[in-house]
Amino acid sequence: MIFLLLSLYIQLFDSEINLNSNGSLNIKEEITVNFDGGYHHGIYRDIPLELSSKTGNFSLGFKVEKVLMDGKDVPAKKSTRRYGGGKDLRIRIGDANKTISGIHVYTIKYSAVLGTRYFKEWDELYWNVTGNRWEDRIDSSRCTVIFPSPIKLSNEDIKIFAGEYGSDRTTEQYTLTDNKLSFGTGTLYPGYGSTVDIRFPKGYLTKPPFLTTFWLKLKSYLGLLFVVLVPLFTFVILFKRWKREGKDLPVGTITVKYRPPSDLTAAEAGTILDQKVDSVDITSILFELARLGYLSIEEIQTEKFFFLKKKDFKIKILKENGLDKEKHLKKFLLGLKKEGGKEFLLSELKGEFYTHVNKVTEELYKSVKKKKYFYGNPDTIRKKYYGFGFAALFIGMWATPFAIGMLSAIVSTAAGLIVGGIMGGLVLSGLITLCFASVMPKRTYKGREVLTDILGFKEFLVRVEKERLNRMLDENPTIFFDFLSYAIALGVIDEWAEHFKGLLIESPNWYSAYDVHGPIMASHITSSIGNSISAFSSASSPPRGSSSGSSSGFSSGGGGFSGGGGGGGGGGGW
């Protein structure tokens, strides 16, 4: 790196600044570089595109018009970069496939719309001519500021700073006429630069149109503006859509129900309750089929190692016909038969039955839609919004750097900012859409009515009084098993089982506890049921590993410094 720094230097940095009556600038820089060693393709020039103010950074309206080397066109790659809280334009001049040596003159012509600033008593050109961020020394610099019309200025109106960044040392070695100001400096080492500060009488310059100034000051906030507006627009649209298509009708007063809703399976009840099919809904189907007489569950003990025993559950399929109306139950039963046959152990299903769960889930969603409990398939509705949300996230996160760089280079920095803001807004919009996805399915009036019944029955399962439960047990000794599938699907199996502590209950003909005959204590049954639920949940799950305005210069009372004002930047060889 040291070798490269010593292998080139700038013999002359010659700048001509044409000040226009509307305060804009046309600038021509001629940079004479001596490549006396090393391995170089050319130089790069960094020019700050923004100026800081009390309200933040704003664009000066730069436009590069021509880049030459030795008076001829030369490849010049433009890009933007952040530096010190602002944005720089980097112009990399030269051909990557060619190396150069000797003396070459680089000419850069560019313009700035907001070249000057306007105060109450005077107008001001406060401009960093060379920039203080050059990697190489500048043996000599000179600058000529050409006025838009003849004007008499005094020495008190002129300040020229030269030195390291922040230096307030001034020089009086300049030539002033009615038409222009010319000055030069000696050697400027890396980190040094020159700045000119000229005060003009009020009215000599005219302000640019308000819309021009407003647009340029807004450009720096375009990205932030779109980052706010795009997700705000998304939120408003989704909120309105949710109120129209996703917001459920009020449930109203919940009345305790002592039986589940008729013509509603436990898995359907669980799906209507939380608008999605989850593992407890799938598990409840096993006990639902047993209650309906399609299979039996027998608790057994198996010897795993010497005298150590482990509980398992033998499943027998008793019949298959009669489930044409409840296709999710039929798919479930056919899946059991395909993986286990007519008779099998639950442990034998492990890592196999999960392949059928998706089919059962699809049929469940179709069922609650077909029975008109929802306006649409809840799963399809959610997937649509999840799809939009993840697509927005993907586009916003992966396409942003490419789009900003391409548009900034080809079209304009403003276009890059707009696209960058939109892409950032897309990321936030994607997150907002994902949040709305889960609440977009909507129950119909019929769905709202049956939800009220489901909540009433759930209330019974959770809060049934001991006295009433005893009376119900006298009438139906197997009531625990009759409502078991619903307790599982509604997520209250523990609460339902808790009510039977200390009570004698009878097993139905479809459930057999190991080495138990007749009435048994509820604690034994609830323990066995818990083991069977755990065993089936394991069988239903996929095996591990499978997929499913500033105050500077004269305006501060004679202040100012080298490196202040607009313009500046720096550069080096590459």
Side-chain angles (χ1 to χ4, degrees):
M1 183 66 183
I2 295 175
F3 174 73
L4 290 178
L5 289 176
L6 296 175
S7 63
L8 72 86
Y9 62 94
I10 299 171
Q11 289 185 342
L12 175 64
F13 189 107
D14 191 358
S15 177
E16 180 181 282
I17 303 174
N18 280 274
L19 173 62
N20 301 307
S21 59
N22 62 359
S24 64
L25 305 176
N26 294 100
I27 300 171
K28 181 176 75 171
E29 296 177 351
E30 288 190 344
I31 307 170
T32 303
V33 183
N34 190 331
F35 297 93
D36 62 352
Y39 182 88
H40 295 284
H41 304 283
I43 67 167
Y44 69 87
R45 173 76 167 102
D46 291 340
I47 304 174
L49 297 173
E50 299 174 337
L51 189 65
S52 61
S53 69
K54 293 179 180 178
T55 58
N57 294 352
F58 63 89
S59 172
L60 296 178
F62 276 97
K63 180 182 179 182
V64 177
E65 297 163 354
K66 188 172 290 188
V67 178
L68 305 172
M69 184 181 79
D70 300 327
K72 299 178 181 179
D73 290 331
V74 64
K77 183 179 179 181
K78 301 172 189 173
S79 61
T80 57
R81 58 193 293 269
R82 305 300 301 186
Y83 183 88
K87 180 170 290 190
D88 280 8
L89 171 67
R90 171 163 288 188
I91 309 171
R92 195 175 72 168
I93 309 170
D95 190 336
N97 297 316
K98 296 180 181 179
T99 58
I100 58 177
S101 61
I103 299 174
H104 297 277
V105 179
Y106 294 89
T107 303
I108 305 173
K109 294 182 179 180
Y110 57 95
S111 59
V113 176
L114 300 184
T116 54
R117 287 171 289 179
Y118 303 85
F119 301 95
K120 186 175 180 179
E121 297 179 356
W122 60 79
D123 302 327
E124 180 185 53
L125 172 64
Y126 184 36
W127 199 256
N128 188 346
V129 178
T130 59
N132 293 65
R133 288 189 273 122
W134 283 93
E135 294 181 349
D136 312 286
R137 80 173 189 270
I138 301 173
D139 280 355
S140 177
S141 77
R142 66 184 179 214
C143 175
T144 300
V145 180
I146 301 174
F147 306 142
S149 60
I151 185 174
K152 293 287 187 181
L153 297 176
S154 68
N155 291 335
E156 294 180 354
D157 297 319
I158 308 296
K159 284 198 174 183
I160 298 170
F161 305 92
E164 68 274 16
Y165 181 84
S167 172
D168 59 359
R169 294 193 299 271
T170 61
T171 177
E172 295 182 0
Q173 296 179 2
Y174 57 83
T175 301
L176 177 64
T177 69
D178 294 350
N179 297 305
K180 63 183 179 181
L181 168 71
S182 299
F183 64 92
T185 69
T187 301
L188 297 174
Y189 295 100
Y192 283 53
S194 64
T195 297
V196 61
D197 200 346
I198 307 173
R199 181 171 63 183
F200 297 97
K202 196 65 183 174
Y204 176 71
L205 301 175
T206 59
K207 280 188 175 182
F210 170 77
L211 289 178
T212 300
T213 305
F214 176 77
W215 167 246
L216 289 173
K217 291 189 176 182
L218 180 65
K219 279 174 66 175
S220 296
Y221 299 97
L222 284 176
L224 180 61
L225 184 65
F226 279 95
V227 165
V228 174
L229 289 181
V230 172
L232 180 62
F233 178 77
T234 301
F235 177 82
V236 171
I237 294 298
L238 288 176
F239 183 77
K240 288 183 176 180
R241 185 177 286 265
W242 170 76
K243 287 191 69 176
R244 185 176 67 251
E245 302 177 10
K247 185 179 180 182
D248 277 307
L249 297 168
V251 175
T253 303
I254 305 299
T255 304
V256 176
K257 302 289 182 181
Y258 300 105
R259 299 195 64 81
S262 59
D263 300 325
L264 197 67
T265 67
E268 288 173 333
T271 302
I272 294 170
L273 178 65
D274 57 13
Q275 301 186 343
K276 65 178 182 292
V277 178
D278 45 33
S279 61
V280 293
D281 299 324
I282 300 297
T283 302
S284 73
I285 297 177
L286 179 71
F287 297 92
E288 182 94 29
L289 288 170
R291 181 180 66 83
L292 295 174
Y294 287 89
L295 55 84
S296 64
I297 304 172
E298 179 185 356
E299 177 188 337
I300 63 173
Q301 284 191 348
T302 59
E303 291 187 357
K304 303 300 287 185
F305 182 73
F306 292 107
F307 58 88
L308 297 177
K309 298 182 181 294
K310 182 178 180 181
K311 284 185 178 181
D312 204 343
F313 299 88
K314 181 187 292 184
I315 307 296
K316 290 183 181 180
I317 296 179
L318 305 176
K319 62 179 182 178
E320 299 176 37
N321 298 325
L323 292 174
D324 293 335
K325 290 184 178 180
E326 306 296 350
K327 292 185 178 180
H328 60 286
L329 299 183
K330 186 175 183 177
K331 291 280 187 184
F332 189 98
L333 189 63
L334 291 176
L336 288 180
K337 182 182 178 182
K338 182 176 180 180
E339 299 300 336
K342 286 276 191 177
E343 184 175 320
F344 54 89
L345 297 178
L346 268 184
S347 60
E348 295 173 348
L349 289 182
K350 191 170 185 179
E352 300 293 339
F353 186 72
Y354 79 94
T355 58
H356 300 274
V357 170
N358 286 340
K359 296 177 182 178
V360 176
T361 299
E362 289 175 9
E363 292 298 338
L364 255 175
Y365 280 125
K366 289 178 182 178
S367 178
V368 294
K369 179 185 179 252
K370 185 178 180 181
K371 292 182 178 181
K372 298 183 179 179
Y373 295 126
F374 289 90
Y375 283 105
N377 186 315
D379 190 47
T380 302
I381 293 172
R382 274 192 297 268
K383 283 179 178 177
K384 179 177 71 174
Y385 286 97
Y386 279 128
F388 285 135
F390 283 117
L393 278 175
F394 177 81
I395 294 171
M397 293 176 67
W398 292 104
T400 299
F402 172 77
I404 293 176
M406 182 182 68
L407 287 173
S408 295
I410 297 175
V411 184
S412 67
T413 302
L417 288 172
I418 292 172
V419 172
I422 292 174
M423 295 299 180
L426 273 179
V427 173
L428 295 178
S429 295
L431 294 174
I432 292 171
T433 304
L434 293 178
C435 291
F436 270 94
S438 61
V439 297
M440 293 308 289
K442 183 177 182 179
R443 302 180 188 91
T444 60
Y445 179 81
K446 180 182 178 182
R448 194 280 306 269
E449 291 297 310
V450 79
L451 175 63
T452 304
D453 293 339
I454 292 169
L455 290 172
F457 182 60
K458 181 180 179 182
E459 186 73 9
F460 158 73
L461 295 175
V462 173
R463 304 187 187 281
V464 60
E465 298 172 354
K466 207 78 168 180
E467 184 178 343
R468 176 177 288 278
L469 186 60
N470 282 324
R471 291 200 306 267
M472 296 179 78
L473 269 173
D474 291 338
E475 297 174 5
N476 181 10
T478 62
I479 189 173
F480 173 81
F481 293 94
D482 290 348
F483 294 160
L484 179 61
S485 58
Y486 290 92
I488 294 171
L490 301 181
V492 293
I493 178 65
D494 291 336
E495 291 85 344
W496 177 237
E498 183 71 20
H499 297 309
F500 291 86
K501 276 190 174 180
L503 299 179
L504 287 174
I505 58 178
E506 289 188 11
S507 298
N509 55 10
W510 56 265
Y511 189 89
S512 301
Y514 175 74
D515 200 26
V516 174
H517 306 282
I520 54 175
M521 293 299 295
S523 58
H524 179 89
I525 289 294
T526 53
S527 173
S528 297
I529 291 295
N531 289 332
S532 64
I533 291 173
S534 176
F536 182 72
S537 296
S538 177
S540 302
S541 302
R544 185 172 297 177
S546 62
S547 59
S548 52
S550 177
S551 60
S552 58
F554 287 105
S555 59
S556 61
F561 56 88
S562 173
W574 70 281

